[in-house]
């Protein structure tokens, strides 16, 4: 893979942060206070039993979906070079620098058929609008390797390269790697907090031109934070469907309990980061600093 230099813009601030929506941009930042503490994310069974239900309710509320169910999750606590660990590297799984979409269009259908084994039910769901959404949450404030999200409107299907993932069980999954172009627009949230979640659209069956169907994402490196502790985050995938017209995440959601209005901060920062191509990932070896931005050079 040949890395390229790409600008990643901080969304922090009232006007920009609340301007992104799932259906227009493919991602959205929302305030959600979880009942889980940092220590709670160490228990896999507890996550599946309690965190799944908590987030299913949240996502159903903010999108208006008729049905939402969680089917997988991943906790990341590890180094960014975890792929180079020769044995059991998934136990130390850290952030992923490769720009990608979690499921391709075909991969989303594979997931649906796997997680809903009743063929008649799958057929019924596929007659409605359905999709897959990733809820991404920091477990502790993000200083190192923040999450970057690409505006879906700037990514054409021609920029997406399908890649198969073969599990130990023999099952095949399919995701997308992203070919870089100058048109892509990338964003991140500086010092993202545990109660500031990102909703990431992985797939939407609605192919209307105005609807974002998927958005690429990846971690980016901040040279000023290279000595910080490993990033800790949790991502969780949900399938959802609706029998009504297109579901749209609401810009202002103020239900009872823990679902609060959007919280905006005032810190400003810009990054330039690696947007990878197709085969491998290299990290920048030389860094130049200029007014208001960082430029990574690859040699």
């Amino acid at each position: 893979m040949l890395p390229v230099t790409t600008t990643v813009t901080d969304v922090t601030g009232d006007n920009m942060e609340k301007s992104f929506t799932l259906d227009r941009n493919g991602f959205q930042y929302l305030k959600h206070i979880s009942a889980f503490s940092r220590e709670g994310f160490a228990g896999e069974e507890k996550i599946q039993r309690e965190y799944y239900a908590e987030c299913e309710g949240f996502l159903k509320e903010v999108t208006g979906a008729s049905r939402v169910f969680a089917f997988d999750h991943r906790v990341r606590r590890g180094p960014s070079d975890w792929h180079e660990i020769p044995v059991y590297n998934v136990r130390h799984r850290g952030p992923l620098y490769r720009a990608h979409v979690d499921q391709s269009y075909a991969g989303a259908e594979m997931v649906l058929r796997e997680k809903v084994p009743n063929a008649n039910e799958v057929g019924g769901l596929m007659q409605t609008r359905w999709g897959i959404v990733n809820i991404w949450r920091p477990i502790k404030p993000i200083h190192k390797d923040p999450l970057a999200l690409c505006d879906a409107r700037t990514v054409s299907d021609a920029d997406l390269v399908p890649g198969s993932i073969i599990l130990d069980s023999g099952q095949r999954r399919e995701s997308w790697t992203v070919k870089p172009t100058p048109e892509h627009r990338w964003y991140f949230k500086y010092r993202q907090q545990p109660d500031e979640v990102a909703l990431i659209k992985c797939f939407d069956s609605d192919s209307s031109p105005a609807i974002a169907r998927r958005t690429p994402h990846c971690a980016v490196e901040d040279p000023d934070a290279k000595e910080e502790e490993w990033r800790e985050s949790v991502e969780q995938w949900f399938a959802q469907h609706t029998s009504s017209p297109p579901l749209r995440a609401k810009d202002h959601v103020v239900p009872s309990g823990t679902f609060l209005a959007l919280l905006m901060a005032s810190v400003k920062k810009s990054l330039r980061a690696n947007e990878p191509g197709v085969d491998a990932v290299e990290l920048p070896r030389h860094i130049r600093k200029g007014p208001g931005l960082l430029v990574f050079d690859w040699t």
Side-chain angles (χ1 to χ4, degrees):
M1 177 191 63
L2 298 176
V4 298
T5 300
T6 300
T7 301
V8 183
T9 303
D10 181 22
V11 304
T12 306
D14 187 65
N15 290 334
M16 179 175 283
E17 187 171 346
K18 71 179 181 181
S19 68
F20 298 98
T21 68
L22 273 179
D23 274 352
R24 183 172 60 248
N25 311 98
F27 65 92
Q28 185 165 348
Y29 295 96
L30 288 173
K31 178 79 169 180
H32 177 241
I33 301 174
S34 174
F36 265 61
S37 64
R38 179 183 176 188
E39 293 73 21
F41 288 106
E44 293 291 303
E45 292 184 3
K46 185 177 177 66
I47 292 173
Q48 295 177 21
R49 184 176 64 251
E50 299 178 21
Y51 188 64
Y52 277 28
E54 177 182 272
C55 289
E56 284 172 351
F58 170 61
L59 190 60
K60 188 172 183 179
E61 176 68 31
V62 300
T63 64
S66 305
R67 178 186 176 190
V68 172
F69 64 91
F71 63 83
D72 202 0
H73 76 278
R74 185 165 298 151
V75 174
R76 294 190 183 273
R77 286 189 177 99
S80 56
D81 61 350
W82 61 278
H83 289 96
E84 299 177 10
I85 300 173
V87 181
Y88 301 122
N89 59 8
V90 294
R91 295 183 182 178
H92 306 281
R93 183 162 33 205
L96 187 63
Y97 286 131
R98 178 176 57 84
H100 65 284
V101 180
D102 293 331
Q103 289 88 22
S104 67
Y105 296 154
E109 184 174 334
M110 292 177 193
V111 168
L112 185 66
R113 293 187 181 281
E114 176 190 338
K115 301 303 179 181
V116 184
N118 185 307
N120 291 332
E121 186 177 1
V122 169
L125 290 173
M126 293 183 68
Q127 297 303 311
T128 68
R129 185 184 180 190
W130 68 279
I132 298 175
V133 173
N134 178 342
I135 296 183
W136 193 95
R137 180 191 300 277
I139 294 176
K140 65 178 183 179
I142 300 297
H143 298 282
K144 185 175 184 175
D145 301 326
L147 174 72
L149 301 159
C150 192
D151 190 333
R153 298 174 299 176
T154 69
V155 182
S156 73
D157 283 351
D159 301 334
L160 304 174
V161 180
S164 291
I165 303 168
I166 308 300
L167 306 180
D168 290 340
S169 63
Q171 291 177 307
R172 186 171 77 90
R173 302 277 176 83
E174 188 175 280
S175 63
W176 267 321
T177 295
V178 184
K179 295 187 292 185
T181 76
E183 287 73 29
H184 295 170
R185 294 294 178 265
W186 287 87
Y187 301 91
F188 82 111
K189 182 168 174 56
Y190 182 60
R191 297 287 173 89
Q192 190 173 351
Q193 302 296 305
D195 59 357
E196 296 171 323
V197 300
L199 306 187
I200 308 170
K201 187 182 285 188
C202 302
F203 171 76
D204 193 329
S205 65
D206 189 336
S207 58
S208 304
I211 299 295
R213 299 193 68 190
R214 70 290 178 273
T215 194
H217 58 282
C218 64
V220 293
E221 183 183 62
D222 180 352
D224 292 335
K226 291 181 71 172
E227 302 306 317
E228 297 280 352
E229 294 181 350
W230 293 340
R231 189 189 82 188
E232 295 185 26
S233 59
V234 57
E235 52 203 275
Q236 188 177 17
W237 292 271
F238 299 82
Q240 59 180 28
H241 82 94
T242 179
S243 55
S244 58
L247 55 127
R248 302 183 184 278
K250 305 165 188 174
D251 290 330
H252 301 285
V253 181
V254 195
S256 60
T258 60
F259 305 116
L260 305 178
L262 289 169
L263 177 68
M264 308 302 173
S266 59
V267 179
K268 295 291 182 182
K269 188 170 183 178
S270 293
L271 297 177
R272 280 188 178 258
N274 166 21
E275 181 189 348
V278 201
D279 298 314
V281 173
E282 281 189 35
L283 298 180
R285 294 183 172 85
H286 301 288
I287 297 168
R288 304 193 315 272
K289 292 193 176 182
L293 55 82
L294 302 171
V295 179
F296 295 173
D297 291 337
W298 286 266
T299 59

